[in-house]
């Protein structure tokens, strides 16, 4: 992405349609991230967030928990796991605020702490996890169950909107839920909060920032024991939210990153300049023909756009799934499960799924609408979380953002500047080269290649036909 200084300086300059004036076209900027991010090698690279010198054995975990980790094929801890776990497991328990890039294994870090501390002979809730969406809560629950599969007597219970769970107590050592339902259930004493020792907020900046969620999380915390171990995890902690996080989790051990360290090496960030709103859809359709074999997520701003895109793409003969907050819980579960299983390869969604969702087969994320805050200002955090749905744990992926006017172009330029990252322009008048570039990334992803392999291969292949 060109620097802000290169941005069109007046409406006239911007040619009204959002195009970039002649002579000011962004140069094809080569990615800087020529580093090894393949799982096997990554863990030997001290600069990688997945690097680790320690083993899970050294963390003195229970043998049945170690068995669970081995069963999940985790060979050694990632950097966040290696750093956070000794602090989390230390006694007496201390609060923690921890940040690490998307897809680097934060879920396992906070889950191992809970699984280590719970008393399996007691079915009263001892640990509580709050997540911003039902999909993420269900996913976290699955990870905890998977990891704790050899721990006899372990019960992990969801607390998400569920009409079949009425007037019933929530039993289980660990409860994973969304803030509204949990608040309601604690208030009505269906969740017994007296023995809770650990409170985890995943996507903590989002949970504490958003008007509704922040308020609900605060209320939940007020109803819990005072000395509870409060654990806040996210890939992003904007400075104002971090300040509030420090109040929410006082005297916390902190692991934080600079925002220019947040982008993931393996995600190739591209952008496409469309000729206005309608053209965006035509370009999407054209582009869609190129990605029939990959799993991808298309992010839009509103539920209405999600529904409209779904209808229009189905009318064009594509098989797509759509998930937004407007749907009922069971429908949402069915749709995300269909996507996870690979039955639906394309998911159109809103920011409801921007965070946390881990589907390793996702090789492409499309920002059909550039993420902005309610006041229209660019939202770099959401951009980062959205593109982080691909490139999970060292895999490679493509993030493609659509711009269609000066405003969206500027918003994307601001986001790129925020992360000090370069975005590569792809020319939709030259579909051959777009197709080649995307296919190569996807192919290298399928073959389990690293970013370095991918970039080398792209250079070597050069103009070769596919
Ligand atoms: N030590 C490990 N070895 C191998 N794979 C791991 C390890 N830890 C986690 N993973 C895998 O990495 C993937 C990403 O993990 P996770 O979903 O916890 O990321 P995250 O850091 O929470 O990302 P986000 O910020 O997007 O929520 C998962 O598929 C998980 O199974």
């Amino acid at each position: 992405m060109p620097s802000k200084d290169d941005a069109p300086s007046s409406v006239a300059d911007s040619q009204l349609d959002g195009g970039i004036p002649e002579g000011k076209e962004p140069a094809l900027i080569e990615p800087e991230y020529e580093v090894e991010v393949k799982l096997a090698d990554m863990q030997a690279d001290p600069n990688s967030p997945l690097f680790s010198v320690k083993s899970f054995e050294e963390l003195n975990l229970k043998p049945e928990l170690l068995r669970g980790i081995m069963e999940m094929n985790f060979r050694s801890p990632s950097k966040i796991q290696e750093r956070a776990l000794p602090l989390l497991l230390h006694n007496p328990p201390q609060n923690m605020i921890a940040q690490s890039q998307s897809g680097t294994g934060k879920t396992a870090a906070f889950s191992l702490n809970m699984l280590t501390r719970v008393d399996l002979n007691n079915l009263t809730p001892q640990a509580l996890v709050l997540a911003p969406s039902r999909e993420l809560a269900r996913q976290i629950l699955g990870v905890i169950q998977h990891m704790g599969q050899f721990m006899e007597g372990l019960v992990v219970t969801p607390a998400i909107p569920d009409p079949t769970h009425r007037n019933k107590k929530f039993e289980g050592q660990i409860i994973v839920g969304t803030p509204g339902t949990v608040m309601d259930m604690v208030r009505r004493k269906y969740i017994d909060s007296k023995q809770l020792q650990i409170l985890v907020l995943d996507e903590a900046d989002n949970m504490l920032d958003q008007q509704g969620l922040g308020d609900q999380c605060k209320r939940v915390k007020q109803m819990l024991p005072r000395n509870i171990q409060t654990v806040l995890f996210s890939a992003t902690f904007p400075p104002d939210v971090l300040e509030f996080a420090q109040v929410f989790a006082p005297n916390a051990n902190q692991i934080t990153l600079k925002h220019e360290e947040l982008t993931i090496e393996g995600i190739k960030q591209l952008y496409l300049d469309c000729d206005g709103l309608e053209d965006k859809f035509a370009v999407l359709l054209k582009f869609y023909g190129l990605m029939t074999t990959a799993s991808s997520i298309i992010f839009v701003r509103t539920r209405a756009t999600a529904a409209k895109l779904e209808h229009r793409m189905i009318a064009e003969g594509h098989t797509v799934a759509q998930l937004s907050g407007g749907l009922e819980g069971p429908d949402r579960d069915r749709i995300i499960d269909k996507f996870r299983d690979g039955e639906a390869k394309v998911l159109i969604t809103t920011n409801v799924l921007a965070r946390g969702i881990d589907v390793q087969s996702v090789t492409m994320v499309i920002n059909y609408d550039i993420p902005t805050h309610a006041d229209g200002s660019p939202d770099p955090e959401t951009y980062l979380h959205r593109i982080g749905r691909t490139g999970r744990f060292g895999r490679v992926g493509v993030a493609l953002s659509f711009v269609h006017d000066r405003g969206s172009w500027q918003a994307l330029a601001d986001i790129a500047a925020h992360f000090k990252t370069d975005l590569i322009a792809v020319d939709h008048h030259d579909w051959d080269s777009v197709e080649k570039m995307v296919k190569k990334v996807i192919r290298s992803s399928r073959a389990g290649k690293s970013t370095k392999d991918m970039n080398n291969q792209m250079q070597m292949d050069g103009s070769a036909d596919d």
Side-chain angles (χ1 to χ4, degrees), residues 39 43 56 72-78 80-81 100-108 110 136 139 202-203 234-235 355-358 360 385 388-389 392-393 395:
L39 179 58
Q43 297 199 325
F56 282 111
M72 291 176 88
N73 274 327
F74 289 7
R75 289 184 315 132
S76 51
S78 64
I80 186 64
Q81 291 163 358
S100 95
Q101 296 92 337
S102 56
T104 53
K106 293 185 283 295
T107 315
F110 64 72
L136 186 53
Q139 177 181 300
D202 194 16
E203 309 300 342
S234 183
R355 286 171 173 256
I357 297 303
D358 180 55
Q360 295 190 347
H385 287 279
R389 294 319 98 216
R392 309 293 291 165
F393 212 81
R395 287 169 184 80

